[in-house]
Amino acid sequence: TLQRQLQQSDCQNALMKKVFDTHMLFLQINQSAAALKHVFAALRLFVAKFPSAFFQGQADLCGSLCYEILKCCNHRSRSTQTEASALLYFFMRKNFEFNKQKSIVRSHLQLIKAVSQLIADAGIGGSRFQHSLAIINNFANGDKQMKNVNFPAEVKDLTKRIRTVLMATAQMKEHEKDPEMLVDLQYSLANSYASTPELRRTWLESMAKIHARNGDLSEAAMCYIHIAALIAEYLKRKGKINIFYTNLTSMNII
């Protein structure tokens, strides 16, 4: 059957990608609030039936869905904001359940990455988006089934981190003509994600671009060396590298 085909290779297959892309198309094309309500319902069913597609293997589908839902959290329609916030909360809850009630690491990482992308693409962060974050926190506070586990605290930590990124980005915009202050702000944000190498790499790359643009090539090079160190550390943990990692350690880079 079609369902068995979709579940092949833990839902990491070409057919699943095509079905997922079809769902995403409905979010990417302008729809009425009434139509979006049905799209969100279809996505809830899709996530419930195929959680492995989002929370196991490659993170591409998880990242794409987070990006599109967050865009809807910034929608001009209050009803769409509420529906999108409910879907996002449902998505994180499914992630928590899929991980045997241990964490929402994947959705946390992909949501922060999506926020970073959307700041540049759509300029999110205003009152509409803040309203959606408040709705998500309210869902966490009122979810009686999750009262005795760590999930509500993880949701609140995530929304707090999203607000931190939004605030830091707003500060960066204020100081965009002051390169040194801008880099300091980005460095602080990069350090706040010391435990999340993928996000730290994102901000270090951004710092490197600013340094290069200002002609500060040695500072840009140091950013890229730190990125190389992060990658080396990851490869070391995976048992795929040894000598390069040792050399970086002796240089006090990691």
Side-chain angles (χ1 to χ4, degrees):
T1 65
L2 179 61
Q3 185 165 340
R4 278 204 297 270
Q5 286 180 283
L6 288 168
Q7 289 173 330
Q8 285 179 359
S9 303
D10 290 325
C11 297
Q12 310 293 314
N13 58 73
L15 181 60
M16 173 60 75
K17 182 70 165 64
K18 289 178 181 178
V19 173
F20 174 78
D21 287 345
T22 302
H23 280 82
M24 291 299 94
L25 194 60
F26 285 106
L27 290 180
Q28 292 160 354
I29 297 173
N30 287 334
Q31 307 280 356
S32 67
L36 281 172
K37 187 173 183 178
H38 293 292
V39 174
F40 292 138
L43 283 167
R44 279 195 296 273
L45 182 61
F46 187 57
V47 172
K49 276 186 170 290
F50 305 106
S52 297
F54 302 97
F55 309 127
Q56 194 167 298
Q58 295 295 318
D60 298 358
L61 302 192
C62 182
S64 297
L65 182 58
C66 288
Y67 181 89
E68 296 300 336
I69 298 175
L70 282 173
K71 260 202 323 189
C72 292
C73 286
N74 203 45
H75 200 275
R76 62 182 177 275
S77 164
R78 275 297 172 95
S79 63
T80 298
Q81 287 175 36
T82 303
E83 289 282 346
S85 301
L87 175 58
L88 194 54
Y89 181 78
F90 173 82
F91 186 71
M92 290 187 286
R93 197 173 189 264
K94 283 296 174 186
N95 189 183
F96 189 72
E97 291 169 354
F98 186 83
N99 287 345
K100 298 178 181 178
Q101 299 195 341
K102 291 179 181 177
S103 72
I104 56 168
V105 171
R106 171 162 290 193
S107 53
H108 181 123
L109 174 60
Q110 295 305 318
L111 282 165
I112 295 293
K113 284 184 68 178
V115 166
S116 302
Q117 288 177 283
L118 281 165
I119 286 168
D121 297 347
I124 64 168
S127 59
R128 291 186 299 203
F129 193 75
Q130 295 289 350
H131 175 71
S132 293
L133 293 179
I135 292 172
I136 293 168
N137 274 336
N138 288 338
F139 280 130
N141 290 330
D143 194 338
K144 293 180 180 178
Q145 291 182 327
M146 293 288 164
K147 189 176 181 180
N148 297 319
V149 294
N150 198 42
F151 178 65
E154 291 212 27
V155 172
K156 290 171 189 173
D157 177 62
L158 173 58
T159 55
K160 182 180 178 181
R161 284 182 176 271
I162 289 174
R163 287 193 174 100
T164 299
V165 171
L166 294 172
M167 286 173 61
T169 305
Q171 287 181 309
M172 288 176 200
K173 199 164 187 179
E174 288 177 17
H175 297 284
E176 59 188 355
K177 294 183 180 178
D178 184 346
E180 291 184 2
M181 178 62 79
L182 183 57
V183 169
D184 280 345
L185 289 167
Q186 288 199 314
Y187 182 69
S188 295
L189 193 55
N191 280 345
S192 73
Y193 282 100
S195 61
T196 314
E198 194 170 349
L199 291 173
R200 195 175 187 202
R201 174 187 170 180
T202 300
W203 290 106
L204 285 168
E205 285 176 340
S206 183
M207 285 172 60
K209 288 175 184 175
I210 292 172
H211 281 310
R213 193 165 60 234
N214 294 328
D216 301 324
L217 300 184
S218 59
E219 287 84 351
M222 186 56 69
C223 289
Y224 285 121
I225 290 171
H226 274 278
I227 291 168
L230 288 172
I231 295 169
E233 189 173 21
Y234 172 80
L235 292 173
K236 169 66 176 178
R237 288 202 303 269
K238 291 288 185 179
K240 295 182 178 180
I241 196 168
N242 188 22
I243 297 173
F244 183 51
Y245 177 87
T246 304
N247 289 342
L248 288 171
T249 304
S250 66
M251 293 165 63
N252 293 322
I253 291 172
I254 54 176

